[in-house]
Amino acid sequence: MARLVGLGHCVMDQLLLVERYPALDSKNTARQRRISGGGPVPTALVAAARLGCECHFSGQVGDDPLGQAILASLQEEGVRTGSCSIRPGCRSPLASIWVEARSARRTVVLDRGDLPPLEEADLPALELTEGDLLLLDGKDPVCLAAARQAKEAGARVLLDLGGERDNPQELIGLSDLVIVSKEFLLSAYPEVELFQGADLLRELGPSFAAITMGPGGLVYSVEDRSPTWFPAWPGTGKVLDSTGAGDAFHGAFAWGLLEGLSFAEALKAGAICGGRACRELGGRSSLPDGATLRQDMADWKI
């Protein structure tokens, strides 16, 4: 069975839902609190695991209680963490997230901990095989080595670039599929419009490239076809918190690819999963199972 293997940063999210954004020197009462595992790749893996995909996470945590909780949050969802490094004496990352109830806007403060960057020499044996899909966040130098390892094994590489990265062109070129945020495109190519940007990314090497715009949907480019707009899922309803919505999208999109779905159907799965992730506090609270997602896909006529 083909697997989804993810390599990237992980974090513990501490979320507070507040009525309105607090003023300086004020005391406020939270309406709701949630502590949840987070990080782009880990949350994508949880989304895919709930859909029935075999998922493996490679990354690193400290040997502190926070690191243990991060790994436990993945293991409880069926994500395998055997190739994750535990760094003695290091602090694991913690994100404090305030979500304003009336607007669903967020403020994130990240304590990165003191884990060192993952270098190429730190790459574990991912044991990739033909048919597997490797999900990368591009945040550490080790991602280049992982992409090369995937290519040698005949596995595909899905690259998630949600924010600015240093010199990402080589990693994009090693990827089969790349999904970037609008913010990434504007930072990397400020003079390029979205449809042109999707083609530009694909011309660097991937066979598929997409630029996400949250509630504005996305633009994607594939071989032998003009760049195309794809809508956001209209069934989201009231947005409470968009934390992890993009990560959920990536996880369901990856699941769709491993299921052999077309790009359009995999995008539909991703859009639905990302929309459902916005319904509750925290990026993993309202992720669907496989039966729910398949029903939503059948109901959504595009």
Side-chain angles (χ1 to χ4, degrees):
M1 177 184 295
R3 308 169 304 150
L4 178 60
V5 179
L7 173 63
H9 284 200
C10 54
V11 63
M12 184 61 74
D13 289 343
Q14 177 178 270
L15 302 109
L16 294 174
L17 180 67
V18 296
E19 187 62 35
R20 60 180 55 85
Y21 191 82
L24 291 174
D25 296 322
S26 66
K27 294 183 179 180
N28 301 266
T29 300
R31 287 176 47 177
Q32 191 178 341
R33 179 184 73 176
R34 178 155 286 137
I35 297 174
S36 170
V41 168
T43 297
L45 293 176
V46 169
R50 288 202 189 173
L51 299 174
C53 186
E54 180 182 330
C55 296
H56 298 250
F57 175 67
S58 289
Q60 61 175 345
V61 296
D63 63 351
D64 55 350
L66 205 58
Q68 296 173 16
I70 289 170
L71 293 183
S73 73
L74 291 169
Q75 294 160 359
E76 289 165 2
E77 296 283 356
V79 177
R80 305 180 190 188
T81 61
S83 60
C84 191
S85 299
I86 301 175
R87 301 279 187 169
C90 289
R91 288 187 301 111
S92 302
L94 173 68
S96 293
I97 305 171
W98 292 356
V99 182
E100 186 180 64
R102 60 182 181 178
S103 68
R105 293 184 301 179
R106 300 171 300 149
T107 296
V108 182
V109 179
L110 176 62
D111 171 9
R112 297 183 182 277
D114 56 6
L115 293 165
L118 282 171
E119 303 291 343
E120 293 198 17
D122 299 314
L123 179 66
L126 299 176
E127 299 180 354
L128 294 164
T129 61
E130 187 174 355
D132 287 346
L133 183 60
L134 174 65
L135 173 62
L136 301 172
D137 64 9
K139 292 184 177 181
D140 281 328
V142 71
C143 288
L144 276 171
R148 295 189 188 104
Q149 189 179 116
K151 305 303 280 188
E152 292 171 0
R156 290 178 292 175
V157 178
L158 170 58
L159 177 61
D160 162 24
L161 297 177
E164 188 173 352
R165 301 286 191 276
D166 292 330
N167 303 315
Q169 287 79 9
E170 184 178 1
L171 186 55
I172 293 173
L174 286 170
S175 301
D176 299 277
L177 314 106
V178 59
I179 302 176
V180 309
S181 66
K182 180 180 177 181
E183 291 72 25
F184 168 85
L185 185 75
L186 292 176
S187 68
Y189 306 101
E191 305 301 322
V192 174
E193 57 86 27
L194 293 175
F195 286 83
Q196 180 186 3
D199 271 346
L200 186 153
L201 290 168
R202 193 175 55 77
E203 289 166 2
L204 293 175
S207 59
F208 172 93
I211 302 164
T212 59
M213 301 175 287
L218 60 84
V219 172
Y220 72 100
S221 174
V222 294
E223 294 174 321
D224 302 323
R225 182 172 176 177
S226 299
T228 305
W229 175 74
F230 194 91
W233 183 48
T236 299
K238 179 176 172 54
V239 173
L240 179 67
D241 173 27
S242 61
T243 300
D247 311 328
F249 173 93
H250 298 136
F253 177 74
W255 165 83
L257 295 178
L258 290 170
E259 286 288 301
L261 302 184
S262 67
F263 284 132
E265 286 296 294
L267 287 172
K268 181 189 279 191
I272 292 170
C273 200
R276 280 191 167 273
C278 296
R279 292 179 170 179
E280 295 184 24
L281 189 64
R284 303 178 185 175
S285 302
S286 53
L287 296 173
D289 60 19
T292 300
L293 179 62
R294 288 185 184 277
Q295 186 60 59
D296 285 342
M297 293 176 68
D299 292 342
W300 185 16
K301 310 300 182 184
I302 301 179

